[in-house]
Amino acid sequence: MITNTELQYKGNLFPGKVSAVQKEGDTHSFKAENGTILRIQVVRDSMIRFRYAVDGNFEEDFSYAISENYTKGYNALVLTEEKDHYCLTTSKLHVHVSKADLRVGIYDLDGKTLLEDELGFHWEENHEYGGEYVKMSKFSPEGENFYGLGDKPMHSNLKGKRVENWNTDEYAFGKDRDPIYKAVPFYIGLQDGMSYGVFFDNTFKTHFDFAAERRNVCSFWADGGEMNYYFIYGPTMMEVVETYTNLTGVPELPPLWALGYHQCKWSYYPEDKFVAIAKKFRDLKIPCDAMYLDIDYMEGFRCFTWNETYFPDAKRMVADLEKDGFKTVVIIDPGIKIDPDYSVYQEALENNYFCKRSDGPLMKGKVWPGECNFPDFTNPKVRAWWRDLYKELIEDIGVSGVWNDMNEPAVMEIPGKTFPLDVRHKYDGHPCSHRKAHNVYGMQMARASYEGVKKYAYPKRPFLITRAAYSGTQRYTSSWTGDNVASWEHLWLANIQVQRLNLSGMGFTGTDIGGFAEQPTGELYARWIQLGVFHPFCRTHSSGHHGEQEPWSFGDEVLAIAKSYIELRYTLLPYLYTMFWEYVKYGKPMIKPLYYVDQEDAQTHYRTDEFLFGNDILVCPVLEPNASGRRMYIPRGKWVNFWTGEEVTGGKELWVDAGMDTIPVFVRAGAAIPRYPVQQFVGEKQIDELGLDVYFTEGSKRSRIYADSGDGYDYAKGRYSLRTIQITGRSKDLVISQHKDGEYDASYQSFKVTLHNVPFDVKSVYIDNVRTEIPALKKAQQTVLFVDKNFDEIHITGK
Ligand code: MIG
């Protein structure tokens, strides 16, 4: 393939002059003289879809990425004809199509350029497989920055990089290694205070060049399929990410326990070892909600079996653990052992569920069980069968969650470490080769698993985790970043990858805390868990043969640190649950990089380390050994050091003290942060009182608190509670008001309100207009009030 877009005359083909325009509903078709058709669909005023067919024949419109529930509809759509171009106008955008060559330009209503074709759409015929390499190039102005693209383990800002998407099992991947496990062909451009997104919904191997090859050109192309992309206008990155997430979907709310701490290692067998690890959590009073079984729990690595020597009575064990507050999560891989006596193998074989090579033989490859065949998860019948295989694990044995691994798919001893490209797939009625299905294989496996866990856990909520993914996989499962390494550089990467995945719609994500390969020093483990408790998914995991990796494996100092940070996470569960709800409801990323938080501040554009956890907690991990603190950038606005109470004004870089037991954390002035007591697991205690940490601000700010029963589906019938807390501060008074919505009545009856950084000595407190006596309240000292949870307004005045 000619990847060098500059070589336009060496085999690249281009559309010709526009000869006809046609309108059908929300879509305009521009037909060129040489037969190329461009279809422009206005999905929303701010989201335009572009599809090209070189010979006028479009594929049937089908996508695994797009959610069934995305928002469609526009306020305006007008076509006008100018001298040298056509212009489509919505209430947010102008789209120009050049009459001479079908090139596209997108502008805001003031005429400001958002994104213009350079060579625009072009293609090269693929003589080996048929079809085309479809290509697109855009001008990229000086100073443009690029973000997004899923799990790329490299600097947040992709400017100057060329990357590709092809799900790959990349054990111990390093910085800048590409591609790795996930394929998210979505990027965000940021120029001149304006953000837009491009989602190239093409499951073939896709490539992106962010002004790497040529300074002022950004290009993307695919090894096959259609040039089919969505342009998403901001102008804020928040709108871009929310729109992309709405388009590709969100998960359902997870069970609350899934937001607790999880412990995993590739060596937790047999039963007494597994159970002893769990027991040690309780003995040491380190909160933990989930314990994982890796591949050794199976009989010879056969999916849906148990090794009865190691686990003689799985049902009893799972029930015992459950009594002690632990959920059991088990791994399931795609490779099915070739074994005529194994029922899963027999069923798949009899029903023709395995993938085949193009000439007919079954796709065969070695994985942990030895030689395997592989279900074709792009066949809906296979997915239904796979779903039902979970009955025993979930309904009978009582397993609560499923971990899908090796689903890139990964195969040993085959060049390329995956299926050969000729392997055939059903692709839900659009039969194709592995070239097209590769990047969705893992997603469709996770989807089938999700349907199984959901069906058999009902009315409880399902929990899943996957390694491979394509855009939209977040609808079914959480994910982790794969086989990282116990190194400081990987801690830096872990932070970036979770931020990046959050901007790529895949928010429920974490890393193997401490590193999967090799062994962390105690200090590295401590620094990693300090970061990991601020990731939506929080699990320690490591390979079997690199030494122990539990919170207590590194001596007392590290144990105390790990315990206190896991406890901190448990106290923040109501805050974390609320941010998850905002993700599900609005598509808001839970983790927000600084360039997302304040795109107009150019200081943020190359920042990698600082991020917001939810809306109001600023976190910046320490990424070096022997540090007593670090410099970090504080975004604009007023912030309070979580540990010291010191107030800082942002818009600058600061030194922040952070000895080994401290990670820099700041809370936004005006925030109201709900807090739970420490529990050893979700549901251990009845919550009698909800903590509410209120941080004074001059002016006004709102926070939300979402709650429901934390599992099950009652919330869908209105049994949730949504509180909006508004803080309004002036020099001598502070008003905390509450708006309530929903029918869920939490167990707690009162709030324990802690006031932080109130700048005056308190004279009086009125709760719903009734004066309340508070013992001697002084400025700077934390004031604590106990208030009925249904209060409407607390009014505090100063002397
Ligand atoms: O080839 O199941 O990324 O988390 O512990 C290794 C064993 C297979 C890779 C996963 C890792 C898991 C391991 N798996």
Side-chain angles (χ1 to χ4, degrees), residues 744-765:
Y744 175 67
D745 196 16
S747 58
Y748 44 85
Q749 291 310 312
S750 57
F751 284 117
K752 177 183 175 192
V753 179
T754 306
L755 303 177
H756 299 264
N757 296 64
V758 175
F760 49 78
D761 290 338
V762 174
K763 187 171 88 193
S764 65
V765 175

Side-chain angles (χ1 to χ4, degrees), residues 266 294-295 331 368 403 405-406 467 480 483 516 541:
W266 184 7
D294 206 321
I295 48 178
I331 198 167
W368 293 105
W403 170 23
D405 185 23
M406 304 294 277
R467 193 170 70 175
W480 90 107
D483 295 343
F516 179 76
H541 178 45

